[in-house]
């Protein structure tokens, strides 16, 4: 009876995992794809990565300095944004373009909406789409560099309707194909995904729902279009483009995804359907970035219709 209770304001759940530690773990998980991209594309890929990350951190510091706000570069969120943006860049990109993208991601998408936790869409993907719209030619230039050249497998598939006869699924899985710096190697991305899962930074709900829905839609398309089920065609779409990078590292962003379990499943299904529609029926061979950004905007509505009913409310939602 005489024991004193420690009364404090909510939330009462404590955890040793801080924002900074989470972001550092994401950076570590992205290292396999980053290192492979540098090995695959050469020293210029390293320059793009370092410059994009450094400029993202700089613009974060500059905005806080100009607005007389606390310095937040220590939470590593700007590093994650810069690294994700760099991995979505083609290696031949003029170096001033990713710097411009960093400014757009950090200042416009992140800080002007209140900083970390307040942005309504993924800053790195928003910057990539901004650059794609503004500099389409430069952002889709996968020309000759060292031993990697030509159109991406998805672009070839889109243009010529080819399958395993001209696109090696094994090469796509390993990563020695044209593409952006960090999206070519599904193996390196999956190694990073395992790191995130081991340290419980993410769970399987959104990535598996995303990939599974996409695979089901693509299978239905193959069957109903008369081409028949072709496993190599499915694998080419799974390992090609930014699907793996987007599913494991960008669709799982804490800030721009639903917090309810049912909402995350709905979110993953929407991502899979939209990505498949954009890839199959759209003019571009890719569709991951636009699908994720579109679903980011839908998150408030998804949460509204999937939030659990409060105990004692009789099963009715206000």
């Amino acid at each position: 009876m005489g024991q004193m209770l420690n009364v404090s304001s909510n939330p009462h759940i404590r955890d040793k995992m801080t924002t900074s530690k989470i972001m550092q773990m994401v950076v570590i998980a992205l290292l396999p794809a980053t290192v492979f991209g540098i090995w695959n594309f050469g020293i210029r890929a390293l320059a793009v990565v370092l410059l994009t990350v450094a400029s993202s951190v700089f613009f974060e510091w500059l905005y806080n300095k100009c607005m007389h706000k606390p310095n937040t570069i220590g939470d590593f969120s700007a590093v994650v944004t810069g690294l994700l943006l760099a991995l979505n860049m083609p290696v031949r990109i003029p170096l001033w373009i990713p710097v411009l993208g960093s400014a757009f991601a950090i200042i416009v998408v992140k800080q002007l909406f209140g900083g970390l936790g307040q942005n309504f869409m993924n800053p790195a993907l928003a910057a990539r789409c901004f650059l794609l719209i503004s500099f389409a030619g430069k952002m889709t230039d996968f020309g000759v560099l060292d031993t990697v050249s030509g159109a991406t497998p998805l672009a070839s598939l889109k243009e010529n309707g080819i399958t395993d006869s001209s696109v090696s699924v094994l090469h796509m899985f390993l990563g020695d194909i044209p593409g952006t710096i960090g999206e070519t190697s599904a193996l390196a991305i999956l190694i990073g995904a395992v790191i995130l899962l081991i340290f419980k930074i993410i769970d399987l709900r959104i990535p598996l729902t995303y990939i599974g829905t996409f695979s089901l839609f693509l299978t239905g398309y193959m069957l109903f279009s008369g081409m028949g089920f072709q496993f190599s065609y499915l694998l080419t779409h799974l390992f090609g483009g930014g699907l793996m990078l987007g599913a494991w590292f960008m669709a799982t962003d804490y800030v721009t995804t639903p917090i309810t379990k049912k909402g995350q499943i709905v979110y993953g299904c929407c991502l899979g359907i939209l990505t498949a529609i954009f890839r199959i029926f759209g003019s571009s061979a890719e569709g991951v970035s636009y699908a994720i950004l579109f679903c980011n905007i839908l998150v408030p509505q998804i949460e509204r219709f999937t939030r659990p009913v409060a105990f004692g409310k009789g099963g009715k939602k206000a």
Side-chain angles (χ1 to χ4, degrees), residues 129-141:
C129 291
F130 163 72
L131 295 177
L132 275 170
I133 294 171
S134 304
F135 313 102
K138 298 294 185 183
M139 288 292 292
T140 55
D141 178 11

Side-chain angles (χ1 to χ4, degrees), residues 19-174:
T19 299
S20 177
K21 289 181 180 178
I22 291 173
M23 295 300 170
Q24 289 174 37
M25 289 306 306
V26 174
V27 171
I28 292 172
L30 284 169
L31 286 180
T34 304
V35 172
F36 180 86
I38 295 169
W39 176 83
N40 192 32
F41 292 107
I43 192 67
R44 185 173 172 81
L46 176 61
V48 173
V49 169
L50 292 178
L51 184 61
T52 310
V53 171
S55 59
S56 295
V57 174
F58 169 75
F59 287 122
E60 177 110 338
W61 171 85
L62 181 65
Y63 181 88
N64 289 331
K65 187 74 172 179
C66 293
M67 296 294 106
H68 305 288
K69 297 175 64 176
N71 188 354
T72 56
I73 62 174
D75 63 15
F76 277 80
S77 62
V79 175
V80 172
T81 297
L83 186 54
L84 284 173
L85 180 59
L87 296 182
N88 279 281
M89 293 289 109
V91 70
R92 287 164 53 99
I93 195 78
L95 295 180
W96 61 269
I97 291 182
V99 174
L100 178 62
S102 297
F104 184 85
I106 297 298
I107 297 176
V108 178
V109 183
K110 180 183 177 182
Q111 293 295 351
L112 289 182
F113 284 91
L116 181 64
Q118 304 298 320
N119 48 284
F120 70 99
M121 63 174 59
N122 186 287
L125 280 183
R128 186 195 185 192
C129 291
F130 163 72
L131 295 177
L132 275 170
I133 294 171
S134 304
F135 313 102
K138 298 294 185 183
M139 288 292 292
T140 55
D141 178 11
F142 304 108
V144 177
L145 187 71
D146 295 334
T147 59
V148 182
S149 63
T152 64
L154 280 185
S156 298
L157 199 67
K158 182 77 173 179
E159 182 178 356
N160 305 316
I162 54 178
T163 54
D164 60 335
S165 61
S166 58
V167 179
S168 169
V169 174
L170 178 60
H171 283 291
M172 294 180 67
F173 182 73
L174 296 177

Side-chain angles (χ1 to χ4, degrees), residues 216-229:
L216 288 175
F217 192 104
L218 208 63
T219 300
Y221 168 76
M222 286 188 284
L223 295 177
F224 285 103
S225 66
M227 65 183 296
F229 180 77

Side-chain angles (χ1 to χ4, degrees), residues 200-263:
K200 298 181 179 180
I201 305 300
I202 64 171
D203 60 37
L204 291 169
R205 193 174 293 109
I206 291 176
L208 288 192
T209 306
Y210 183 0
I211 296 171
T213 303
F214 176 82
S215 300
L216 288 175
F217 192 104
L218 208 63
T219 300
Y221 168 76
M222 286 188 284
L223 295 177
F224 285 103
S225 66
M227 65 183 296
F229 180 77
Q230 298 184 28
F231 193 51
S232 60
Y233 181 84
L234 176 61
L235 290 180
T236 299
H237 272 284
L238 288 177
F239 297 153
L243 180 62
M244 285 296 165
L245 186 63
W248 294 102
F249 286 96
M250 290 177 283
T252 55
D253 176 31
Y254 289 174
V255 180
T256 55
T257 55
I259 60 174
T260 63
K261 292 182 178 179
K262 291 181 180 178

